[in-house]
C-alpha cells in the first residue's frame, strides 16, 4: 500500500490581476483568489529539520503572486496551469492542487464565486 502524501496548503492568496476575455477586465483588473495545495513527503525535511528539503511557503506565495499578476490571459484555466507549473518547480512536490477563484466574474446573476480547480502531478508534467 502506498504511503499517503503530506500537504502544505496556501489558501486564499489574493492577487489583483488583469485576466479575462472582456476589455474592461483587462483594463480595470479584478481580484483573483488562489488556493495551492502541494503534496509531498515531508519526512526528509522533518528528519533533517531542513527547509531545503521541503517547500518554502513564503517563496511559493511570492512566485504564485508574480505568476498571476503578470502576462494577462483570457482564461482562469490558463492561470491555474501557470500556478501548477510554479508549484511543480520544487523538487519535493509530487502533486499539486490549484483553485483559482474569480469572485467578481462578469456574470449577470447573483453568485458567490466562480472556481476552476485542477490537479497536476510531476509525472504528467514530464
Amino acid at each position: 500500500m502506498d504511503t499517503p502524501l503530506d500537504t502544505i496548503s496556501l489558501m486564499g492568496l489574493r492577487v489583483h490581476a488583469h485576466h479575462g476575455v472582456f476589455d474592461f477586465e483587462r483594463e480595470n483588473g479584478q481580484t483573483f483568489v488562489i488556493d495551492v495545495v502541494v503534496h509531498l513527503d515531508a519526512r526528509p525535511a522533518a528528519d533533517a529539520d531542513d527547509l531545503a528539503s521541503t517547500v518554502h511557503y513564503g517563496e511559493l506565495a511570492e512566485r504564485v503572486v508574480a505568476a498571476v499578476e503578470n502576462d494577462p490571459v483570457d482564461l482562469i484555466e490558463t492561470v491555474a496551469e501557470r500556478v501548477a507549473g510554479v508549484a511543480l518547480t520544487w523538487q519535493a512536490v509530487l502533486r499539486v492542487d490549484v483553485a483559482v477563484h474569480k469572485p467578481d466574474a462578469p456574470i449577470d446573476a447573483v453568485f458567490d464565486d466562480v472556481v476552476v480547480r485542477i490537479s497536476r502531478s510531476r509525472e504528467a508534467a514530464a
Side-chain angles (χ1 to χ4, degrees), residues 1-12:
M1 181 174 173
D2 291 329
T3 304
L5 293 174
D6 306 307
T7 61
I8 298 173
S9 302
L10 178 59
M11 310 302 285

Side-chain angles (χ1 to χ4, degrees), residues 105-123:
I107 297 173
D108 191 21
V110 176
F111 70 101
D112 289 329
D113 201 1
V114 171
V115 186
V116 168
R117 296 180 196 281
I118 65 170
S119 293
R120 298 293 179 263
S121 63
R122 181 164 304 286
E123 298 82 34

Side-chain angles (χ1 to χ4, degrees), residues 1 3 6 21 23-24 46 54 61-62 68 72 75 84 87 95 107 117 121:
M1 181 174 173
T3 304
D6 306 307
V21 297
D23 290 342
F24 66 87
T54 187
E62 290 172 3
V68 175
L75 303 178
R95 194 173 84 235
I107 297 173
R117 296 180 196 281
S121 63

Side-chain angles (χ1 to χ4, degrees), residues 63-86:
R63 291 184 195 176
V64 167
V65 167
V68 175
E69 282 180 336
N70 295 314
D71 302 320
V73 294
D74 289 344
L75 303 178
I76 58 176
E77 290 86 345
T78 306
V79 176
E81 288 288 347
R82 188 181 290 175
V83 170
V86 166

Side-chain angles (χ1 to χ4, degrees), residues 9-70:
S9 302
L10 178 59
M11 310 302 285
L13 189 61
R14 297 186 185 290
V15 182
H16 186 83
H18 297 265
H19 307 294
V21 297
F22 298 112
D23 290 342
F24 66 87
E25 292 179 293
R26 293 291 183 102
E27 292 169 13
N28 302 327
Q30 61 193 290
T31 299
F32 295 85
V33 182
I34 313 298
D35 301 330
V36 183
V37 179
V38 295
H39 300 261
L40 69 163
D41 182 352
R43 289 174 296 180
D47 290 346
D49 197 29
D50 180 22
L51 181 59
S53 299
T54 187
V55 174
H56 186 306
Y57 48 79
E59 287 182 12
L60 176 61
E62 290 172 3
R63 291 184 195 176
V64 167
V65 167
V68 175
E69 282 180 336
N70 295 314

